[in-house]
Amino acid sequence: AGVPDVDVAVTTRELGRMIQKAGIDFKNLEDDSFDDQYDKDADYMASVGTADELKTALAAGGNVALANDVIISESLPVTKDTVLDLNGKNIGTSGSTTGSPLYLQGGKLTVKNGTLDLDGSHTNVNGTFSTAIGYDAQTELVVENVNFTGKTAINGTFATDGPLKVTVSDCTMDVTSVGIAVSANSTEAIATINNCNIDADVYAIFASQGSKITINGGTYKSAGKVITSMYDNTVVTINGGTFDGELWVTSGGSLVIKGGTFTADPTAYV
């Protein structure tokens, strides 16, 4: 009938090149069943490009990546383990949100690789404060390689009812109020700050209510207080970095300096 028995022939070498070009790694392919539940347990990255998509993805938890810059107009709660990859993009706010624009209420939230230009409010027992990322007790927050602009970058509630862990690494904050604030009526509130560049008008680092903050390198500057440690059992430990501004230790707080350079006299804390 004039129809060939073979339409296309592919050699083994050509097939190998096609597989390699497609990036298929047979050694690391996920295991799966032979029934109709294909991929039901697979944890794929959710790509989001709108505020509504971001809200839905954060509520679901898992791995989330921005496909575009996103503007939000409300507080977006996070209650499940979530990794938010900004993917070089920006999340901003249209006006100030009621509640933290990104609000960690449960589980672990990791935010990385992009810009947050957020303005919202976070309320704790001391009042209501501006913030970009807010967090509650019994949570873990990890922030890596994020550029913050706006008023306050990271601010949390008082961890009166359980542990709290915050790790901030390789971030830049140019803010008009506070860089990082950690307050807790619990010795289980632990924060580690690694190699950040923070310029904040009021407080660069603010620790109170028994929290423990360790600073490992970076540059910190404030027209107000570059380091604040206040109230009993609060401890800020500085292992290194450059600090431009006043060191304020009050009401039973403590400051331990093991390294670094300072524009204020650090003698009393060495």
Side-chain angles (χ1 to χ4, degrees):
V3 178
D5 294 330
V6 178
D7 295 319
V8 177
V10 179
T11 68
T12 303
R13 179 175 294 179
E14 290 170 332
L15 178 60
R17 288 173 178 170
M18 292 167 63
I19 292 171
Q20 186 178 38
K21 186 176 181 180
I24 300 173
D25 183 359
F26 286 105
K27 291 183 179 179
N28 294 307
L29 288 178
E30 63 181 274
D31 293 330
D32 220 324
S33 60
F34 293 98
D35 56 23
D36 61 356
Q37 299 298 306
Y38 177 71
D39 281 354
K40 74 179 183 68
D41 295 322
D43 185 16
Y44 291 115
M45 184 81 70
S47 180
V48 300
T50 68
D52 287 342
E53 290 175 349
L54 179 59
K55 180 179 180 179
T56 299
L58 292 179
N63 295 314
V64 181
L66 288 189
N68 304 301
D69 292 343
V70 173
I71 301 296
I72 61 177
S73 59
E74 61 181 321
S75 176
L76 302 182
V78 177
T79 60
K80 302 176 182 178
D81 289 355
T82 303
V83 176
L84 174 57
D85 188 345
L86 300 173
N87 196 28
K89 306 298 191 300
N90 171 68
I91 300 178
T93 47
S94 57
S96 179
T97 64
T98 301
S100 302
L102 295 178
Y103 187 6
L104 176 58
Q105 298 176 335
K108 177 181 178 180
L109 171 63
T110 299
V111 184
K112 59 184 181 179
N113 303 331
T115 299
L116 296 178
D117 184 8
L118 301 176
D119 182 17
S121 61
H122 185 87
T123 301
N124 60 33
V125 296
N126 267 3
T128 300
F129 306 91
S130 65
T131 191
I133 301 178
Y135 54 84
D136 283 344
Q138 302 188 57
T139 61
E140 181 176 355
L141 174 65
V142 177
V143 186
E144 302 171 345
N145 191 32
V146 174
N147 176 40
F148 290 84
T149 59
K151 293 184 178 179
T152 295
I154 298 171
N155 189 13
T157 192
F158 285 79
T160 57
D161 55 354
L164 165 69
K165 185 177 181 181
V166 177
T167 306
V168 185
S169 303
D170 303 312
C171 291
T172 299
M173 302 176 185
D174 188 358
V175 292
T176 59
S177 186
V178 181
I180 300 171
V182 181
S183 300
N185 289 327
S186 166
T187 58
E188 296 180 276
I190 307 296
T192 304
I193 303 169
N194 302 310
N195 299 311
C196 290
N197 185 347
I198 300 177
D199 188 344
D201 289 356
V202 183
Y203 302 106
I205 305 295
F206 182 90
S208 72
Q209 304 293 338
S211 57
K212 306 292 185 291
I213 295 181
T214 300
I215 302 172
N216 301 309
T219 302
Y220 306 86
K221 179 180 179 181
S222 178
K225 311 289 193 298
V226 66
I227 300 292
T228 297
S229 177
M230 63 190 307
Y231 300 128
D232 291 345
N233 300 315
T234 301
V235 181
V236 177
T237 301
I238 298 175
N239 291 320
T242 300
F243 300 85
D244 183 356
E246 182 181 349
L247 305 173
W248 189 36
V249 180
T250 184
S251 303
S254 62
L255 174 61
V256 179
I257 296 177
K258 299 181 179 180
T261 58
F262 302 84
T263 57
D265 184 3
T267 304
Y269 312 110
V270 175

